[in-house]
Amino acid sequence: MEKKREELMSEPVVYIDGRFSSKSRAKISVYDHGLLYGDGVFEGIRVYNGIIFKLKEHIDRLYRSAHTLLLQIPLTKEEMIDKVLRTIRINGFKDAYIRLIVTRGVGDLGLDSRKCPRPTIIIIAEPKIELHQNKMGIRAIISWVKRDSVDGTTHEVKSLNYLNSVLAKIEANNAGVDEAIYLNQNGHIVEGVAENIFVVKENIIITPFTCSGSLPGITRKEIMKMAARLGYKVEEGNITPYELFNADEVFFTGTAAEIVPVIEINGRSIGDGKPGPITKLLIAEFKKLIQDPSQGISVF
Ligand code: PMP
């Protein structure tokens, strides 16, 4: 018993359908449609200093994604919040990255979801996530892989179907840069592989409409509100590659990425090739926001 507990605590503990197991023992069925078909939804969530940042907003988005896919989550939102809190508590993390997943569940080898009686719920927590650590700015390419259109695999839904993102990331890796940026079928800028994108031009802050095919990002929304509070004009709009190359500043936002300056795109330097003043100001303000207990739900 004592050994089992020690083993449990030496590595992160994962929640699967009401049970906790150590990371190396956490397993799901090979018949799970999350694996077989990417049929499921997820959220990436951060814990800062014992506060789960924007947890309610993440849970709301998870349920909107599931609603769109006609995936009936067998827990109320309150019960789901409780499971997330318990997972962080049992892990004892003050700071963490959480991956909350709901799959269609275990079925047969056909893709008929009626054969999956119960969704699988998985909550993973890691003490940290490292993404785009280079605070001096990153380099990106516009990918030849276009963002999935606003259709069955739209990225407005945070589904387990991320092949579109994985492919563009491979292209970025092969090009020796940090990140890829998507165009939609109209040739307008959409987002990064797992980040929303913003452009600053003449002190106006612009981000693509979510109907361009991007995820309605929770960080995106916070940055839009924050920039408006700071007195900047903030707009949603269509952005062309030309406008991106000739922006004064470009930055990505996301739960894992936070705010990341982009200083070069397809070999063109952005602005003077350094993180710009508005990006730097937003990074500083965002650091304050994530430490504000009223911005999330307390774990302990
Ligand atoms: N776009 C995509 C495709 C993503 O996966 C993410 C990460 N969740 C984002 C944007 C950023 O969204 P958020 O700020 O809610 O993390």
Side-chain angles (χ1 to χ4, degrees):
M1 183 68 193
E2 204 38 50
K3 186 159 177 285
K4 209 168 169 201
R5 170 141 192 88
E6 256 170 43
E7 197 181 274
L8 259 179
M9 296 316 289
S10 62
E11 51 178 0
V13 175
V14 178
Y15 171 98
I16 304 177
D17 290 335
R19 287 162 178 255
F20 288 102
S21 15
S22 61
K23 176 177 172 174
S24 51
R25 288 171 183 264
K27 303 276 189 295
I28 62 159
S29 165
V30 293
Y31 287 85
D32 194 295
H33 280 211
L35 171 70
L36 291 175
Y37 297 114
D39 184 359
V41 294
F42 76 102
E43 282 295 317
I45 311 168
R46 279 226 196 214
V47 188
Y48 294 106
N49 203 17
I51 307 291
I52 309 189
F53 185 64
K54 301 283 166 199
L55 178 57
K56 213 182 146 305
E57 288 77 355
H58 282 284
I59 298 293
D60 284 344
R61 186 170 66 186
L62 182 81
Y63 280 71
R64 285 200 304 275
S65 295
H67 175 72
T68 312
L69 303 189
L70 285 171
L71 200 172
Q72 194 75 43
I73 301 179
L75 297 179
T76 64
K77 289 184 184 179
E78 290 69 32
E79 286 166 340
M80 187 64 92
I81 287 176
D82 184 59
K83 306 288 179 224
V84 173
L85 288 169
R86 279 179 56 201
T87 306
I88 298 303
R89 269 185 218 130
I90 196 169
N91 276 288
F93 296 147
K94 254 180 87 189
D95 292 280
Y97 178 75
I98 304 168
R99 179 56 60 89
L100 168 57
I101 304 161
V102 183
T103 78
R104 187 76 65 181
V106 176
D108 63 16
L109 293 180
L111 56 75
D112 189 344
S113 58
R114 290 174 299 187
K115 303 281 176 58
C116 305
R118 191 170 46 90
T120 306
I121 301 174
I122 304 164
I123 309 171
I124 307 170
E126 287 280 340
K128 60 179 176 195
I129 181 159
E130 279 170 5
L131 190 71
H132 303 316
Q133 293 301 294
N134 188 353
K135 297 295 174 213
M136 290 315 291
I138 63 167
R139 295 158 63 225
I141 51 162
I142 295 176
S143 157
W144 66 266
V145 182
K146 301 268 195 313
R147 203 36 144 180
D148 288 318
S149 54
V150 184
D151 202 334
T153 51
T154 179
H155 285 260
E156 296 160 284
V157 172
K158 199 161 170 59
S159 83
L160 293 178
N161 189 330
Y162 257 51
L163 192 53
N164 185 251
S165 287
V166 170
L167 271 180
K169 183 71 184 174
I170 290 172
E171 291 301 322
N173 292 345
N174 286 347
V177 300
D178 306 289
E179 197 53 291
I181 297 168
Y182 290 93
L183 302 177
N184 61 18
Q185 302 298 330
N186 298 329
H188 294 141
I189 303 296
V190 181
E191 61 177 345
V193 303
E195 307 92 1
N196 292 111
I197 193 165
F198 285 78
V199 160
V200 181
K201 187 72 181 175
E202 290 163 3
N203 287 326
I204 301 176
I205 301 171
I206 311 153
T207 189
F209 294 111
T210 53
C211 62
S212 67
S214 65
L215 180 77
I218 288 166
T219 321
R220 172 187 184 272
K221 193 169 176 186
E222 287 310 309
I223 296 304
M224 290 173 81
K225 282 197 285 185
M226 178 186 286
R229 270 201 307 275
L230 290 166
Y232 290 100
K233 195 164 173 211
V234 186
E235 293 176 355
E236 288 181 302
N238 288 321
I239 301 170
T240 66
Y242 168 87
E243 288 169 323
L244 195 67
F245 294 147
N246 292 290
D248 299 330
E249 302 178 32
V250 173
F251 60 89
F252 285 130
T253 65
T255 298
E258 300 177 310
I259 305 175
V260 185
V262 183
I263 54 168
E264 188 193 291
I265 300 170
N266 292 66
R268 284 96 170 153
S269 68
I270 303 302
D272 59 7
K274 293 197 212 96
I278 294 180
T279 309
K280 287 206 272 199
L281 175 65
L282 291 172
I283 291 173
E285 289 296 316
F286 188 67
K287 277 203 180 118
K288 289 186 214 157
L289 189 80
I290 58 181
Q291 294 298 332
D292 176 353
S294 72
Q295 298 299 316
I297 298 182
S298 173
V299 177
F300 301 104

